[in-house]
Every structure is written in C-alpha cells, then in structure tokens.
Amino acid sequence: MENDYVNRIKEEVGAYGESLCNVGRLRVVGIVSRILGLFLLIFTVVLLVFALLSFGAVAAIDALSNCMPVWAASLIVGSVFLILLVIAVAFRKPLFIHPFILLMTKQIRSEEELALKTMEAEHQAEIQGIRLESRVENATRELNLYANLFGRIWSWLSGKLTK
C-alpha cells in the first residue's frame, strides 16, 4: 500500500519534471528561433536603411551643391542625420524596446508589464513547488505513521511471543 503511494508520487514528480523540461525546451527553442529571426530581419533592414540613407545623402548633397558650396550642403545633411540620431536616442523605448517585447511575447506591451508577468510566473512556479512539497511531506508523514504503527505492533507481538 505504502509502496504504491510512494511510487505514484515518484511517478508524478518524474512526469512533472519531464513535462517542465519539455515545456522549457520548447519555449527556449521558440524564443531562440524568434530572436534569431528578428535579428536577421533587423540586420537586413538596417543594412538597407544605411544604403538608402547613403544614396539619399549623396543625392541631397549633389542637389544642394547647385545652390551653395559642397561643404555647406554636407553640413546640412550631416545636421539632419544628427537630429535623427537625437530623436532615436530620446524615443528608444517606444521605438525599439517595446516593439521587441510585444513581438517576443505577443501579449505584453511594455517593460513594466513584462516585469509584472515575470513576477506572476515566478509566483505560480513557487506555488507549484509548494504543492509538490506538501504532497511529499504528507507521503512522508503517512509512511512514518505506518512504520511506527508496524513497529509498535511488532514490539507488542514480540513481547507476547517471548512471554
């Protein structure tokens, strides 16, 4: 009876561990593939944007050089790029970080929501661990109860047999 109960708990723990490993492995594969895909997409887009900006800058300098010296046209185009850089740095979270969080989780839209969801997931894992721990403690308590009961019956029987 006890052996069946302990074996059942062992099987449950083993199955729980296997399912957690499988879920974790699949999530890691999904996250890594999504990150690598996003990285390759972003790398391609960035290269294309650099090429477009380079050709656009050369064309703008050439067009402006008809009205002013080339160095002045270059300064104007350079200052436009500097303003774009300042805008990108100032709005980096809504432009870069939040869209990546949304793409990777498909539900969460900001870092704050991500932190809350992470805390919630950690809490759920903690609850599962406590449930499993309480089952093991109950099984151990029952096993100790039956072992003590068996020991007392054995000592009572051995006491009766020796008299």
Side-chain angles (χ1 to χ4, degrees):
M1 167 101 182
E2 281 300 315
N3 198 16
D4 292 337
Y5 186 71
V6 171
N7 284 337
R8 190 175 60 190
I9 287 179
K10 280 186 196 175
E11 289 173 6
E12 280 185 27
V13 169
Y16 178 67
E18 279 184 33
S19 65
L20 281 180
C21 273
N22 195 23
V23 167
R25 183 180 56 83
L26 292 174
R27 284 185 180 173
V28 166
V29 166
I31 289 170
V32 168
S33 64
R34 200 176 307 148
I35 288 173
L36 287 176
L38 285 174
F39 175 74
L40 291 174
L41 175 69
I42 290 169
F43 185 69
T44 303
V45 168
V46 166
L47 286 178
L48 291 174
V49 166
F50 280 154
L52 181 67
L53 288 176
S54 298
F55 290 130
V58 169
I61 290 172
D62 186 45
L64 288 173
S65 67
N66 291 334
C67 306
M68 61 183 70
V70 175
W71 62 268
S74 298
L75 282 177
I76 290 173
V77 171
S79 64
V80 168
F81 283 134
L82 190 61
I83 290 171
L84 288 176
L85 178 68
V86 168
I87 290 172
V89 169
F91 296 107
R92 68 183 174 275
K93 281 191 179 185
L95 286 175
F96 302 111
I97 295 172
H98 295 167
F100 283 117
I101 291 173
L102 182 62
L103 281 173
M104 291 174 64
T105 60
K106 298 195 190 238
Q107 301 154 349
I108 303 168
R109 297 189 181 277
S110 68
E111 286 179 295
E112 293 80 21
E113 285 183 53
L114 180 63
L116 288 174
K117 291 287 186 178
T118 302
M119 286 185 350
E120 183 179 323
E122 288 171 352
H123 181 68
Q124 289 297 326
E126 190 176 311
I127 288 173
Q128 289 292 335
I130 289 171
R131 284 182 185 162
L132 191 59
E133 195 174 299
S134 68
R135 279 191 173 197
V136 169
E137 284 178 6
N138 286 339
T140 305
R141 233 182 264 127
E142 281 188 38
L143 184 63
N144 287 337
L145 174 76
Y146 290 131
N148 288 336
L149 184 65
F150 180 71
R152 287 183 182 184
I153 291 173
W154 182 260
S155 64
W156 181 75
L157 284 177
S158 64
K160 288 282 186 181
L161 292 176
T162 55
K163 287 185 182 179

